[in-house]
Amino acid sequence: MPRAIHVLNGPNLNRLGKREPEVYGHTTLAEIEAMCRSAAGDAEVAFRQTNYEGQLVEWIHEATDGGADGIIINPAGLSFQSIPVLDALKMFPRPILELHISNIHRRDPIYHRSLVSTVATAVIAGLGARGYATAMRAMLELLE
Ligand code: DHK
């Protein structure tokens, strides 16, 4: 059975490409989705983005109930203050890879303490947009 991997993106990531290019680069979210799908091989990929906390929670529930084999999540600004997202991820019993395009630990201290990192299997930060392809390859290895 091909694996099912859900790639979930939080607020403002729909603006990638023109949003603070000095921090996030020029790659758009559509280009990142294409990178994920190509790195996934025959694995099924659900690729989503929302600016709404509740929607992200519901997609995590869907991944939990729908039997996703793994979640790759860039919670963006929700990483640092969303207990609902944290609580939803606590109910997901399979690998979770947290991803940040920028190295959050080299940035303003408001970006240093991610709540999601307390439940993530691993964290990737600072590789730019290509971090998504790295996360996909890592997830496929974790699921072998
Ligand atoms: C994206 C955001 O929107 C910020 O709020 C995060 C993350 C960093 C990123 O690097 O992908 O803190």
Side-chain angles (χ1 to χ4, degrees), residues 11 13 19 24 74 76-77 80 100-102 104 107 111:
L13 294 173
R19 172 195 180 194
Y24 301 106
N74 183 343
F80 315 100
H100 298 281
I101 294 167
S102 65
I104 55 177
R107 301 184 59 190
Y111 298 124

Side-chain angles (χ1 to χ4, degrees), residues 9-10 24 26 32 35 43 53 58 82 86 103 116 119 133:
N9 297 281
Y24 301 106
H26 298 277
I32 287 172
M35 285 158 65
E53 182 178 34
E58 287 179 0
S82 177
L86 171 65
N103 180 347
V116 170
V119 293

Side-chain angles (χ1 to χ4, degrees), residues 57-78:
V57 168
E58 287 179 0
W59 284 337
I60 296 166
H61 292 168
E62 195 182 308
T64 305
D65 302 341
D69 297 299
I71 290 176
I72 294 170
I73 186 166
N74 183 343
L78 295 171

Side-chain angles (χ1 to χ4, degrees), residues 12-28:
N12 303 304
L13 294 173
N14 56 314
R15 314 293 283 189
L16 285 173
K18 48 181 182 271
R19 172 195 180 194
E20 298 176 83
E22 69 287 356
V23 176
Y24 301 106
H26 298 277
T27 308
T28 66

Side-chain angles (χ1 to χ4, degrees), residues 88-105:
L89 289 170
K90 282 180 182 171
M91 294 183 271
F92 184 75
R94 292 173 287 282
I96 298 165
L97 292 183
E98 176 185 0
L99 178 121
H100 298 281
I101 294 167
S102 65
N103 180 347
I104 55 177
H105 304 290

